Amino acid sequence: MEVDAVTSLLSGTSAHAPRLCRAGLAVVFTLRLVTLAVGARTLWRDEVGDLACNASAESCRRTCFDAAFPISPFSLFALQLAVIFSHALASSWHFRPHGEGMGSWRQPTLRGKQPRLWLHLGSLLAKAVLEGIFLVTFHTLYSHFPVLVQCPPSPCPPAVTCAILNAREKDAFNHFMAGSSWACLLLSLLGTQHAAVQIFQEASGKAPRKGPARKPRV
């Protein structure tokens, strides 16, 4: 694949975005993907097994985990990357360049610069909204990753608590992923501002200019 196509897939932006914005989004997305893959094989390999409880019942450990984590941070970040990459696929499909064959997946769907700029602006806004939704969800649920969790009284015995192994490392992982998401959100907003300026300049350049009235020749 071409370098521009790979950059579009990783950044979720079109060629209308500034190069620094596209490169930053692509690099941050790659870091997030690599970090998630490493975390899946190390810190988050067995989330339920990382609970050290003062009760030996396996059903109690599972219930305690489900009560403490409605959706685990790792699953939340994995879902986030899946949604962001789906958005990038849709964006790269809409912004494929001209000059390809009719049967190619890169056949352009929009003609003219103005409609493509508006679609570019909407794509960046959608990307920023998606990042924001996941950030709000993360900070609502896991602004502070717990070290100890209290288990519900049923089916667990009374006063059952579980310690989370590698809690500090998992908290650092969560904050890195959240910080990366904040960086993507800021870059998307910068790209949105740049797109709005481009649309304004394009509209101003196409606006008809009224010159002085010419007198009819006799």
Side-chain angles (χ1 to χ4, degrees):
M1 297 178 68
E2 299 176 358
V3 176
D4 185 69
V6 175
T7 305
S8 297
L9 283 175
L10 294 178
S11 65
T13 58
S14 69
H16 297 290
R19 291 184 178 180
L20 185 60
C21 179
R22 298 187 75 198
L25 287 171
V27 169
V28 174
F29 181 83
T30 304
L31 288 176
R32 294 163 77 180
L33 190 62
V34 171
T35 304
L36 195 72
V38 173
R41 298 183 62 87
T42 55
L43 291 175
W44 307 94
R45 189 171 185 175
D46 186 6
E47 297 183 67
V48 179
D50 286 342
L51 292 181
C53 306
N54 55 1
S56 58
E58 184 65 26
S59 60
C60 178
R61 181 185 297 179
R62 168 60 69 177
T63 303
C64 188
F65 177 83
D66 292 339
F69 304 105
I71 176 173
S72 72
F74 179 83
S75 300
L76 181 64
F77 289 126
L79 178 62
Q80 181 186 25
L81 287 190
V83 172
I84 294 299
F85 188 69
S86 299
H87 167 270
L89 283 175
S91 177
S92 60
W93 185 83
H94 279 290
F95 290 106
R96 52 200 183 278
H98 299 274
E100 301 287 336
M102 290 299 294
S104 173
W105 69 279
R106 295 174 64 81
Q107 179 65 22
T109 56
L110 289 177
R111 299 289 182 179
K113 188 176 181 180
Q114 190 78 358
R116 294 175 71 85
L117 284 176
W118 278 107
L119 184 61
H120 169 64
L121 176 63
S123 176
L124 285 173
L125 285 175
K127 183 178 179 65
V129 168
L130 290 174
E131 295 282 4
I133 290 174
F134 280 97
L135 280 171
V136 170
T137 304
F138 168 77
H139 288 293
T140 301
L141 296 176
Y142 307 114
S143 58
H144 177 69
F145 193 76
V147 179
L148 291 174
V149 293
Q150 187 72 34
C151 298
S154 177
C156 301
V160 175
T161 58
C162 296
I164 301 177
L165 303 180
N166 302 318
R168 290 184 179 180
E169 290 80 358
K170 291 180 178 180
D171 191 42
F173 173 92
N174 294 339
H175 280 89
F176 174 81
M177 295 295 291
S180 302
S181 185
W182 275 110
C184 289
L185 176 60
L186 292 177
L187 288 172
S188 299
L189 292 177
L190 288 176
T192 301
Q193 181 183 8
H194 182 267
V197 171
Q198 282 185 307
I199 291 173
F200 177 77
Q201 291 177 346
E202 185 74 11
S204 300
K206 290 184 177 181
R209 296 181 180 179
K210 294 184 179 180
R214 294 184 178 181
K215 296 182 179 180
R217 295 182 180 180
V218 179

